[in-house]
């Protein structure tokens, strides 16, 4: 979770859960094949999918990739749209809350935008904690 420093929440135990949920979200995304990734095209193989090249439209290459893709899509489905935007920006695209706060929230004043952006990020991470079964305690979003 780039740009957050060590603290997402003041409670150390909750902070660890939120961080773990963010890491899992990233791992599911990256492992799903939806991240693109580095690689080269094998021009000797025939193009059978229309040649769009978009990772999102391609079938998973492995069973592990299919499982990760299913887990990632399930997590995305439970997030509110602005929570998803924050998670995409901060967790997947490694931006800081400060960098994306105004754009995601639409709030013009940076201080207020950052507070709202952080609240959206924490809310989304709390949903993921529940989704991934990381906490035995209730994690209200």
């Amino acid at each position: 979770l780039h740009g957050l420093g060590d603290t997402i929440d003041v409670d150390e135990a909750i902070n660890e859960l939120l961080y773990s949920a963010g890491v899992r979200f990233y791992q599911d995304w990256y492992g799903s094949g939806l991240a693109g990734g580095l690689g080269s095209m094998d021009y000797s193989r025939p193009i059978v999918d229309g040649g769009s090249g978009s990772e999102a439209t391609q079938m998973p290459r492995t069973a592990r990739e299919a499982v990760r893709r299913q887990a990632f899509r399930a997590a995305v489905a439970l997030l509110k749209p602005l929570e998803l935007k924050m998670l995409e920006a901060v967790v997947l695209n490694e931006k800081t809350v400060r960098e994306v706060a105004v754009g995601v929230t639409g709030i013009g004043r940076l201080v207020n935008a950052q507070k709202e952006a952080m609240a959206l990020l924490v809310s989304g991470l709390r949903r993921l904690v529940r989704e991934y079964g990381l906490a035995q305690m209730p994690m209200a979003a």
Side-chain angles (χ1 to χ4, degrees):
L1 297 168
H2 179 73
L4 288 177
D6 295 329
T7 304
I8 305 168
D9 191 281
V10 292
D11 183 307
E12 190 175 318
I14 292 174
N15 189 59
E16 185 63 36
L17 291 171
L18 296 175
Y19 185 83
S20 295
V23 168
R24 169 82 183 271
F25 188 69
Y26 180 88
Q27 290 171 337
D28 284 343
W29 170 72
Y30 191 81
S32 72
L34 298 173
L38 300 175
S40 59
M41 182 164 228
D42 182 355
Y43 292 102
S44 66
R45 291 178 48 191
I47 298 173
V48 295
D49 66 347
S52 70
S54 170
E55 291 290 331
T57 61
Q58 294 179 4
M59 293 295 293
R61 293 174 292 224
T62 65
R64 174 176 273 158
E65 195 173 272
V67 168
R68 290 288 189 156
R69 192 171 290 192
Q70 183 178 14
F72 178 72
R73 288 184 173 151
V76 165
L78 68 92
L79 295 168
K80 292 180 179 179
L82 290 180
E83 292 170 344
L84 177 58
K85 280 187 176 185
M86 281 305 299
L87 285 165
E88 286 175 337
V90 175
V91 177
L92 305 184
N93 295 319
E94 300 180 2
K95 302 287 184 188
T96 64
V97 171
R98 181 183 175 91
E99 289 175 308
V100 300
V102 172
V104 170
T105 66
I107 298 171
R109 189 163 181 230
L110 182 59
V111 172
N112 295 341
Q114 283 183 262
K115 286 180 185 176
E116 180 63 21
M118 184 59 95
L120 288 166
L121 180 66
V122 170
S123 176
L125 289 171
R126 285 176 177 268
R127 287 181 201 284
L128 294 179
V129 165
R130 285 193 311 272
E131 170 69 9
Y132 296 140
L134 298 174
Q136 302 303 318
M137 65 182 137
M139 293 289 290

